[in-house]
Amino acid sequence: MDKPMTTVELPDIEGRQTFLAEVQERCGENLGLCYQCLKCTVGCPTAPYMDFNPNTIVRLIQFGLKREVLESNAIWLCVSCETCGTRCPNEIDIGLLMDALREMSLEEGYRAKEKGVVALHNAFMESIRRGGRVHEATMLMEYKLRSGDYWTDLIPGMKLFMKGKIPLLPGRIKGIDSIREIYKKTQKQRKVLEDREGKSK
Amino acid sequence: MREIASGEKGEMYSYFPGCTSHSTAVEYGLSIKAVLKALGVSLVEIEDWNCCGAAAVHSMNKLLSLCLPARNIAMAQKTDLELVVPCAGCFNMLKRTERALKTDPEMRREVESTVGFTYQEDLKIRALIDMVVNGIGFGRIEEKVQRPLTGLKVACYYGCALVRHPKVTQLDDPENPQYLDTLMSSLGATAMEWSFKTDCCGADLALTHGDFVVKLVNRIVGMAQEAGAECLVCSCGLCQINLEMRQDVGALGLPVFYFTELMGIAFGLEGTKWWSKHMISPSTLLDSLSLR
């Protein structure tokens, strides 16, 4: 056949290598080892609901497609169950990779496709900052306010409450100041976070 | 420091209860107390412990996710005791931090200066199931069995955080773990062979993506039923509540126990008032086997 082979022109994106290097530096994993065996994706419980499968995320990073990766819903639907990392024949810890991608996405102000997940994580983190431990009732209330999803799970929540499994009043540990201090020292991307939350409402 | 379960023989462990032990997993906390007391083991609750941060924090801020568990490690170090953690999720976060402290000198310096402590490498962090199986041992457990769980068919559910990532948790086999199965056999129950022992139940997304978490849960519980099990047994507060609350009760309706609850029944411990705390009551099942 003399029909020429189809070739795909990779977009010439500036900073393509930089993105790969940056991601590798952050998560400490060597993504060049991936040979696309798909073991990660096959074992992933949430892959059926992701826009890009875990193996595709690795490939996209190799291609330097930063926006596609950092705005994907995949990074927020990963539940860190570590099935991928445990089974990877090249020992790439994709769970750690996903953590790094989420953090980068937040710090650099990318639009999170899964606003509910981000709202829940924020509500959880705030709950610890307030009392040192998670207090379910106020944490869930804050999540509802942040996400605007008021009605889901109201009945199961009430059932738990009736069984005395959701204490009403929040407590506070004695060393709450040390928790707040830790938050202050580690919260470098905090401002970005709040701004983005404001915009998305 | 508050002692929560005091034994007689002077065997002591440092104890990190975790947030759910006072709320959604209250029956786990209660049964741990009762069972360890019966075994003569004392637990000393870590002074003024704080939340491990769980998935929310490591998804958002790596440094914070290491510093929150590190504060607990700092508190636990004040005793010379091994640290025991009942909840698989908390255990995983503490072990992640331990790994970072042991293998990443730069991160260690950052965590130490942020939290304000010096890490001592000899602190041993163990999951409760590991302490029960390898610390207390089956010999002592079998001695205590007064009412064998004969005829109780259980599916042992390990979930993710207890066994993965194996480089972090260093516990049992990540694909086909055996601790819970062997423990159940030693209590006289029948642990069914099944293939969903370590499949994730998606608990972290239960609030935001209930629609597909229900599918994950029903697949796990459905497979347990297909394998012949009448109930599940686990060691994680989040797994337990997710599996009991999100399963199709009409079609399945399998109660989910914490392993310590079943130990309590087998030991013939009185005052098991926590059954009413279950979202799916195990009473009918236990009555059918004269176990209540």
Side-chain angles (χ1 to χ4, degrees):
Chain A
M1 287 208 284
D2 34 40
K3 207 175 153 192
M5 208 198 325
T6 318
T7 55
V8 178
E9 286 286 320
L10 281 177
D12 184 25
I13 304 160
E14 239 177 274
R16 209 157 75 185
Q17 295 304 316
T18 329
F19 180 52
L20 174 65
E22 212 183 339
V23 172
Q24 294 195 138
E25 163 74 23
R26 245 184 209 257
C27 67
E29 302 298 302
N30 182 354
L31 302 181
L33 293 173
C34 173
Y35 47 52
Q36 295 290 312
C37 73
L38 270 68
K39 260 192 150 182
C40 50
T41 295
V42 172
C44 177
T46 55
Y49 311 97
M50 289 176 173
D51 46 8
F52 298 114
N53 286 331
N55 68 293
T56 311
I57 289 286
V58 176
R59 199 73 181 124
L60 292 174
I61 298 168
Q62 290 171 343
F63 285 156
L65 296 167
K66 187 171 183 174
R67 179 167 293 277
E68 283 76 357
V69 171
L70 297 186
E71 284 193 351
S72 68
N73 78 2
I75 60 174
W76 296 106
L77 292 187
C78 161
V79 282
S80 309
C81 77
E82 290 282 1
T83 310
C84 48
T86 303
R87 293 180 182 169
C88 175
N90 296 310
E91 295 177 13
I92 302 172
D93 190 333
I94 297 166
L96 289 185
L97 167 66
M98 290 294 188
D99 274 348
L101 294 174
R102 288 186 273 249
E103 217 176 29
M104 286 173 79
S105 161
L106 290 171
E107 282 176 23
E108 296 183 31
Y110 281 89
R111 196 171 49 87
K113 251 193 204 144
E114 296 292 336
K115 289 192 176 64
V117 178
V118 178
L120 181 64
H121 288 340
N122 273 325
F124 198 95
M125 293 200 356
E126 283 307 297
S127 186
I128 304 172
R129 198 179 56 81
R130 277 195 301 269
R133 295 176 193 163
V134 168
H135 178 250
E136 287 84 354
T138 47
M139 188 270 281
L140 290 172
M141 237 182 291
E142 181 170 353
Y143 161 64
K144 296 269 171 205
L145 290 173
R146 279 174 182 263
S147 66
D149 172 16
Y150 302 117
W151 307 108
T152 313
D153 284 332
L154 221 55
I155 290 165
M158 284 312 287
K159 280 187 190 161
L160 282 175
F161 178 72
M162 299 302 278
K163 285 191 178 287
K165 286 184 141 185
I166 299 189
L168 210 51
L169 297 173
R172 183 179 286 181
I173 66 168
K174 278 183 270 164
I176 188 65
D177 290 345
S178 62
I179 298 288
R180 304 232 167 117
E181 189 64 25
I182 290 171
Y183 266 69
K184 210 185 280 172
K185 286 179 184 164
T186 55
Q187 218 81 340
K188 49 182 184 267
Q189 75 268 44
R190 194 152 170 73
K191 196 166 180 316
V192 184
L193 263 176
E194 273 171 356
D195 289 347
R196 277 160 28 75
E197 279 259 319
K199 260 185 240 162
S200 67
K201 268 176 194 165
Chain B
M1 229 173 269
R2 195 152 61 93
E3 273 199 29
I4 72 137
S6 64
E8 287 156 16
K9 291 179 192 164
E11 196 174 338
M12 280 169 89
Y13 290 89
S14 182
Y15 180 60
F16 178 80
C19 301
T20 60
S21 69
H22 297 306
S23 56
T24 49
V26 64
E27 61 271 58
Y28 197 15
L30 290 171
S31 56
I32 291 167
K33 261 193 222 181
V35 164
L36 291 185
K37 189 175 179 188
L39 284 161
V41 176
S42 306
L43 296 178
V44 184
E45 193 168 315
I46 298 182
E47 196 188 327
D48 205 37
W49 56 271
N50 58 272
C51 175
C52 70
V57 179
H58 77 70
S59 293
M60 306 285 277
N61 185 333
K62 183 180 178 180
L63 183 58
L64 180 61
S65 81
L66 298 174
C67 289
L68 287 175
R71 183 178 173 277
N72 294 310
I73 289 176
M75 298 289 197
Q77 277 180 182
K78 292 180 186 168
T79 67
D80 291 331
L81 306 170
E82 287 184 2
L83 174 58
V84 168
V85 189
C87 167
C90 307
F91 167 70
N92 195 290
M93 294 313 297
L94 283 156
K95 290 295 275 187
R96 276 174 187 241
T97 306
E98 179 190 51
R99 184 177 159 81
L101 292 168
K102 280 187 173 162
T103 61
D104 185 344
E106 205 180 311
M107 187 55 88
R108 176 174 172 165
R109 273 192 297 278
E110 205 169 346
V111 171
E112 282 181 336
S113 79
T114 308
V115 179
F117 83 121
T118 308
Y119 175 56
Q120 291 157 17
E121 293 204 7
D122 51 359
L123 175 77
K124 196 167 177 191
I125 301 171
R126 302 178 81 160
L128 178 70
I129 180 70
D130 171 43
M131 183 270 259
V132 166
V133 168
N134 298 316
I136 294 171
F138 296 120
R140 273 169 68 192
I141 291 166
E142 279 164 19
E143 266 175 33
K144 285 275 167 205
V145 175
Q146 311 219 329
R147 188 161 52 178
L149 307 178
T150 316
L152 186 68
K153 293 175 186 150
V154 303
C156 298
Y157 180 72
Y158 298 75
C160 343
L162 195 61
V163 291
R164 286 191 303 260
H165 193 293
K167 71 183 176 193
V168 170
T169 62
Q170 297 163 309
L171 182 142
D172 213 336
D173 184 297
E175 295 289 354
N176 189 12
Q178 298 297 327
Y179 285 0
L180 285 171
D181 294 70
T182 320
L183 177 65
M184 288 304 122
S185 305
S186 75
L187 300 176
T190 311
M192 310 310 287
E193 284 283 341
W194 70 312
S195 55
F196 277 64
K197 279 180 178 181
T198 62
D199 274 48
C200 175
C201 70
D204 284 345
L205 292 176
L207 288 170
T208 55
H209 295 80
D211 50 341
F212 71 70
V213 172
V214 163
K215 288 182 195 163
L216 295 177
V217 167
N218 281 330
R219 195 172 59 168
I220 292 167
V221 181
M223 287 307 288
Q225 192 183 49
E226 206 174 309
E230 297 157 317
C231 61
L232 287 100
V233 60
C234 71
S235 76
C236 170
L238 223 52
C239 298
Q240 196 275 348
I241 191 172
N242 194 36
L243 290 177
E244 258 196 5
M245 215 161 84
R246 308 264 163 193
Q247 65 171 283
D248 180 346
V249 182
L252 299 163
L254 272 65
V256 184
F257 291 101
Y258 294 103
F259 70 95
T260 41
E261 291 182 288
L262 292 180
M263 289 175 83
I265 300 176
F267 291 179
L269 301 180
E270 293 304 321
T272 54
K273 58 187 172 197
W274 54 77
W275 298 129
S276 61
K277 298 282 181 193
H278 278 259
M279 298 299 276
I280 296 177
S281 171
S283 308
T284 318
L285 173 63
L286 295 175
D287 286 343
S288 74
L289 298 165
S290 316
L291 287 171
R292 198 160 65 106

